[in-house]
Amino acid sequence: PKPDPIIVVDNISRTFGGIKAVQVDHLEVQRGAITGLIGPNGAGKTTFFNLITGFDKPDSGTWSLNGDPLGRMVPHQVARRGMVRTFQLTKALAKLTVLDNVRLGAAGQRGEHFLAALAPWVWRKQEAEITDRAHELLRRFKLDAKAGDFAGSLSGGQRKLLEMARALMTDPEIVMLDEPMAGVNPALTQSLLEHIKSLRDEGVTVVFVEHDMDVIRDISDWVVVMAQGQVIAESLPDRLGDNEAVVDAYLGGH
Ligand code: ATP
């Protein structure tokens, strides 16, 4: 397909105590594709997610979503523009119900407090609509039977599904999934993979971090490889082994 980037990143960098966690000179994310992001521990994948979704601020750099610069935005603003992310360690609020956790997604990420404090009337007005949408997403992820349970009672894999449902509440154009399969049992892994593919089939752009090369090869349309903060390679999934830098930095003896 001809290049149609939804995200364009230039010269983004983030340093922690002298360590360059991220130094990405240029990266484009293709619209409508599933991009797999791989790289050894500490490569900067999570930091990169944090930066472009507004959860952390870079030392320098610019990045845009659909051509709109996102640099100074906080997460709920980024969510309203169409980009949301999930976390490696899920952020479900254990003492709220599954349904309420998903409903909170409507406020955009970390927007709950902002909305609750500034505009409770907005919340009330849209409440029925929000609840309907949350139930719809719970059905999609086969969590509807758990709607009234505390999120804290869910298994690791169910929490991953809950987090995806919650992320979809703002109808994003692009979702950034940080290790969606980590800690998930094999049966649910298969179902998560199907969910990710169906998002792509509906036109949602997906970027996901994953360590399992079989999973990467199974569902990625494109693979980006990071090491020591930098993008060291990009390729079709079945051509990864052709790249010496990738084999050295990541695939090792595999
Ligand atoms: P993993 O696969 O283990 O999740 P990663 O590729 O997501 O790794 P990051 O978590 O982004 O990598 O870490 C990149 C580098 O930045 C590491 O050296 C890490 O120790 C450092 N780092 C990340 N966040 C912070 C922080 N808040 N304070 C200090 N150093 C940090």
Side-chain angles (χ1 to χ4, degrees):
K2 80 181 197 331
D4 175 19
I6 181 167
I7 300 279
V8 178
V9 176
D10 282 297
N11 296 313
I12 198 171
S13 74
R14 177 70 164 112
T15 305
F16 294 109
I19 294 174
K20 276 235 151 122
V22 167
Q23 174 62 64
V24 172
D25 299 334
H26 183 78
L27 184 68
E28 298 185 0
V29 175
Q30 176 77 6
R31 186 187 312 280
I34 298 177
T35 299
L37 178 58
I38 64 172
N41 290 334
K45 306 177 297 293
T46 297
T47 303
F48 179 72
F49 271 31
N50 291 345
L51 293 174
I52 73 164
T53 54
F55 282 82
D56 188 14
K57 296 284 169 222
D59 303 318
S60 64
T62 54
W63 65 104
S64 62
L65 172 64
N66 292 320
D68 296 328
L70 292 183
R72 279 189 284 275
M73 291 187 193
V74 296
H76 72 86
Q77 294 172 315
V78 175
R80 274 154 205 281
R81 291 288 173 118
M83 175 161 57
V84 293
R85 58 87 59 88
T86 63
F87 293 85
Q88 199 173 337
L89 299 170
T90 57
K91 298 276 184 196
L93 299 169
K95 294 196 170 158
L96 286 186
T97 64
V98 168
L99 177 64
D100 280 344
N101 268 280
V102 176
R103 281 157 38 97
L104 282 173
Q109 303 197 303
R110 281 201 186 159
E112 301 92 340
H113 307 301
F114 168 79
L115 252 199
L118 290 183
W121 56 273
V122 171
W123 195 238
R124 271 200 299 278
K125 192 170 145 211
Q126 299 178 341
E127 183 147 2
E129 205 180 302
I130 288 169
T131 303
D132 287 351
R133 176 73 175 135
H135 277 298
E136 194 184 309
L137 286 166
L138 285 174
R139 280 193 296 276
R140 174 176 184 157
F141 290 99
K142 300 202 165 53
L143 287 172
D144 39 334
K146 307 253 172 208
D149 296 357
F150 287 131
S153 71
L154 298 182
S155 72
Q158 289 169 334
R159 279 182 216 206
K160 296 283 192 187
L161 292 170
L162 168 61
E163 193 152 85
M164 281 180 69
R166 179 180 157 123
L168 294 178
M169 279 297 285
T170 48
D171 290 319
E173 283 182 71
I174 173 166
V175 293
M176 313 279 295
L177 308 173
D178 198 350
E179 300 200 27
M181 261 70 76
V184 175
N185 70 45
L188 268 186
T189 298
Q190 204 46 49
S191 128
L192 269 162
L193 291 176
E194 295 306 322
H195 282 300
I196 292 173
K197 284 192 235 181
S198 59
L199 284 175
R200 189 250 331 259
D201 296 344
E202 290 161 21
V204 177
T205 305
V206 179
V207 180
F208 78 115
V209 175
E210 176 57 44
H211 288 286
D212 184 329
M213 291 308 292
D214 291 333
V215 169
I216 287 285
R217 289 198 187 90
D218 180 11
I219 66 167
S220 308
D221 300 306
W222 191 247
V223 182
V224 172
V225 188
M226 285 184 75
Q228 295 174 349
Q230 304 186 358
V231 172
I232 60 162
E234 296 187 53
S235 100
L236 289 167
D238 57 1
R239 306 298 296 273
L240 274 173
D242 300 353
N243 188 310
E244 257 177 59
V246 175
V247 174
D248 287 350
Y250 191 68
L251 300 175
H254 297 261

